[in-house]
Amino acid sequence: MHHFHYVNGRLHCEDVSLDAIADAVGTPVYVYSSATLRRHARVIAAAFEGMDCLIAYSVKANGNLGVLKTLAAEGCGADVVSGGELKRARAAGIPASQIVFSGVGKTRDEMRLALSESIHQFNVESEAELEVLAEVASKMGATASVAVRVNPDVAAGGHPNISTGKAGDKFGVPWEDADALYDKIARLEGVEAVGVDVHIGSQIDEIAPMRAAFERVMTLVRGLREKGHAISRVDLGGGLGIPYRETDDPPPPADYANMIREVTEGMGLQVILEPGRVIAGNAGVLVTEALYRKPAPKREFLIVDAGMNDLMRPALYQAHHDFLPLKERAADAPRMRYDVVGPICESTDKFAAERELPVMEPGDRLAMMSAGAYGAALSSQYNARPLAAEVLVDGDQFAVVRRRPSFEEMVALETFPDWLT
Ligand code: LLP
């Protein structure tokens, strides 16, 4: 569910017309709905009502400070994967006690930062990382609360590039090695095992693989407890899918939560979740303006002012995003098949192939829907294009929460070497 809809023939985000935003801020522009972010955070919190549960929003999906602050006000914690994300979460007011630190390549500096902030938990992904964390923490006289990310050897996720839980993926430690690693934690100074962590993939559209992975985790927790490890938490990662098309039918958060309730029943565990897409995905759109039409066999190219640098998902994962014209069209308005493409000098700079849309003229605007997660977050300045602006809407008000950089700002970190000046 989201808050993008037509009012008097114009596409709105909550009570603000997207045309008004595009007129004021220019295109391409990301627009986020506070009401949608809040609604998603609340639906998830409600689904887990009564359980000891930490909803650690996965900052990588959309780390804009305005988005994070909106979610902080809803009581969300954060799942971070870098020192930068940790600082973002803290800057938005998320308490360190609600932050978990995931990722396969934490540096010593990042560990020191997280230890000095006394974050809730480190999700450790290898023996080598564990040894470094123990060393860093001991030197600081600190103890890191650790969960080992295990690889349950379960495949899931909307695309091979976003599946992470199969044997052979770079994530987590092999299932069979987990026991030995927990024994090692018990022997090491500076680290304390508090939990088990798992994350099997993203855009998962069925409950069964998640249940299979989580049941394996519970088996591991029981075994570890029998061996005397005081496991009090499980981190079950993120991954719940969202509808990108009207026909998509991902499991509702309530079904997901009920499955987790069943699997963890009676275990006395804090359950940590790392939802990203399900909170931010349908809370954002990318607004773009049509520049040109260009004939091609059996279709036309519709060249828009957003490029793959602004929204990478179609190029990277052949991902589908629905497009809605900002100006509503009658059901019987003429339609046309378009390859919707951007201005970037790459053939992969294509948002859709042979997509049927109402006829678009230069100057007409489109909203690329469901772009709130892994949209702006994955964007770049390729082709020396400034990052798209980001706007947050709340009711009838909107604010630019990241402005488009000027050319001078884009090159501000570059200098000519002496020999060229
Ligand atoms: N926790 C961990 C350890 C993760 O690796 C991820 C996502 C999440 C949580 C959040 O997953 P979510 O709830 O958002 O599915 N760029 C890709 C998605 C990459 C996901 C990376 N990890 C895309 O645009 O589809």
Side-chain angles (χ1 to χ4, degrees):
M1 235 235 42
H2 60 70
H3 293 76
F4 295 90
H5 43 240
Y6 288 105
V7 180
N8 299 328
R10 297 287 163 161
L11 191 59
H12 280 56
C13 174
E14 305 186 25
D15 301 329
V16 181
S17 122
L18 292 176
D19 268 320
I21 293 174
D23 288 343
V25 182
T27 53
V29 56
Y30 277 99
V31 181
Y32 308 129
S33 155
S34 300
T36 311
L37 291 167
R38 291 189 191 114
R39 185 190 144 81
H40 291 165
R42 286 174 197 177
V43 164
I44 293 171
F48 287 92
E49 181 89 63
M51 284 174 72
D52 179 8
C53 185
L54 169 63
I55 314 271
Y57 167 68
S58 198
V59 172
K60 66 174 82 64
N62 186 328
N64 181 281
L65 292 175
V67 168
L68 293 181
K69 200 161 179 118
T70 304
L71 295 173
E74 293 300 313
C76 289
D79 157 48
V80 303
V81 291
S82 68
E85 284 192 355
L86 174 54
K87 288 181 184 170
R88 280 187 175 275
R90 296 291 295 122
I94 296 176
S97 60
Q98 294 182 21
I99 296 179
V100 299
F101 194 169
S102 307
V104 296
K106 302 174 194 77
T107 65
R108 285 180 161 79
D109 278 347
E110 289 174 325
M111 290 172 179
R112 272 190 283 271
L113 171 69
L115 286 163
S116 69
E117 292 268 356
S118 302
I119 63 160
H120 189 54
Q121 172 172 310
F122 288 80
N123 291 332
V124 165
E125 302 224 14
S126 65
E127 184 170 3
E129 180 198 338
L130 176 70
E131 287 167 359
V132 171
L133 180 59
E135 177 203 311
V136 171
S138 309
K139 277 196 189 138
M140 292 173 68
T143 303
S145 298
V146 165
V148 175
R149 177 166 174 187
V150 294
N151 183 328
D153 194 15
V154 172
H159 186 275
N161 291 7
I162 54 175
S163 169
T164 54
K166 232 2 228 164
D169 289 335
K170 75 171 177 182
F171 300 99
V173 300
W175 184 248
E176 317 75 63
D177 301 349
D179 257 28
L181 212 53
Y182 280 92
D183 291 344
K184 180 158 186 169
I185 295 174
R187 293 194 302 272
L188 283 173
E189 290 277 301
V191 283
E192 175 190 29
V194 296
V196 178
D197 172 44
V198 71
H199 169 84
I200 58 172
S202 197
Q203 186 55 16
I204 302 173
D205 60 0
E206 43 181 3
I207 296 276
M210 295 196 266
R211 180 189 284 273
F214 301 166
E215 281 173 348
R216 293 200 98 173
V217 168
M218 292 312 133
T219 308
L220 182 63
V221 169
R222 286 190 198 92
L224 291 170
R225 282 178 165 176
E226 275 166 25
K227 292 179 72 184
H229 300 287
I231 303 298
S232 58
R233 312 171 185 165
V234 282
D235 182 335
L236 302 179
L240 192 59
I242 63 165
Y244 280 97
R245 296 175 165 86
E246 247 174 49
T247 49
D248 287 348
D249 190 23
D255 292 4
Y256 170 73
N258 287 338
M259 176 272 288
I260 291 174
R261 204 183 290 272
E262 268 174 50
V263 173
T264 60
E265 185 85 68
M267 297 280 289
L269 289 163
Q270 180 193 39
V271 174
I272 301 171
L273 301 159
E274 302 172 353
R277 190 190 315 265
V278 73
I279 289 182
N282 283 323
V285 302
L286 175 62
V287 178
T288 183
E289 191 166 296
L291 294 174
Y292 304 107
R293 297 171 61 176
K294 175 166 155 172
K298 289 195 291 188
R299 64 200 193 281
E300 246 186 41
F301 288 110
L302 182 67
I303 301 167
V304 298
D305 69 357
M308 64 186 274
N309 69 302
D310 301 305
L311 179 63
M312 283 267 274
R313 304 192 67 259
L316 212 48
Y317 318 110
Q318 296 74 52
H320 172 98
H321 289 265
D322 274 345
F323 303 144
L324 291 182
L326 264 47
K327 206 186 309 163
E328 192 173 20
R329 309 300 168 90
D332 59 356
R335 297 173 76 81
M336 174 83 211
R337 257 169 210 267
Y338 291 109
D339 276 11
V340 182
V341 301
I344 303 274
C345 301
E346 298 255 1
S347 300
T348 49
D349 184 26
K350 185 185 279 187
F351 294 110
E354 299 195 35
R355 177 80 59 92
E356 201 186 283
L357 291 172
V359 168
M360 301 288 296
E361 298 298 342
D364 286 349
R365 293 172 179 146
L366 277 177
M368 301 192 175
M369 306 304 289
S370 316
Y374 309 108
L378 278 171
S379 62
S380 77
Q381 302 197 139
Y382 187 39
N383 279 201
R385 291 166 50 81
L387 293 175
E390 294 176 86
V391 164
L392 186 64
V393 171
D394 190 2
D396 61 3
Q397 42 181 352
F398 75 89
V400 176
V401 287
R402 185 182 72 192
R403 64 179 173 78
R404 191 176 280 102
S406 66
F407 171 74
E408 289 69 26
E409 287 168 320
M410 285 168 65
V411 295
L413 303 179
E414 299 174 35
T415 44
F416 291 113
D418 287 349
W419 67 86
L420 291 179
T421 51

